[in-house]
Amino acid sequence: EVLGKYHPHGDTAVYDALVRMAQPFSTNAPLIDGHGNFGSIDADPAAAMRYTECRLTRTAAETLLEDIAMDTVEFLPNF
């Protein structure tokens, strides 16, 4: 719902970025642990969104969410 209402470029741009973050041959340390077809080094495209799942890798979770409990940024309800 948020993607459709608030992202100006649609879901394709977001999914393409997610796919790239899941490809071990595209980044030094993938941030996304993908399940399904996320493309290949031979330029095969990723599967459609409905055929893939993802979660943060352990490295990404430790790095990006490390300080979230320190209340660095005040969270307010916004939805």
Side-chain angles (χ1 to χ4, degrees):
E1 186 174 335
V2 174
L3 179 65
K5 289 183 179 179
Y6 301 110
H7 197 274
H9 304 294
D11 58 358
T12 304
V14 174
Y15 185 65
D16 289 346
L18 182 133
V19 165
R20 183 163 168 78
M21 288 188 286
Q23 294 172 334
F25 53 86
S26 292
T27 59
N28 192 18
L31 299 176
I32 302 294
D33 180 20
H35 179 74
N37 179 6
F38 281 87
S40 72
I41 199 165
D42 295 328
D44 294 328
M49 279 186 263
R50 63 185 172 270
Y51 301 119
T52 57
E53 297 178 353
C54 67
R55 63 181 176 191
L56 288 175
T57 61
R58 182 180 304 257
T59 304
E62 290 172 355
T63 305
L64 300 174
L65 304 176
E66 177 177 273
D67 295 334
I68 202 163
M70 297 177 66
D71 292 329
T72 307
V73 177
E74 183 178 345
F75 284 97
L76 300 172
N78 63 358
F79 190 82

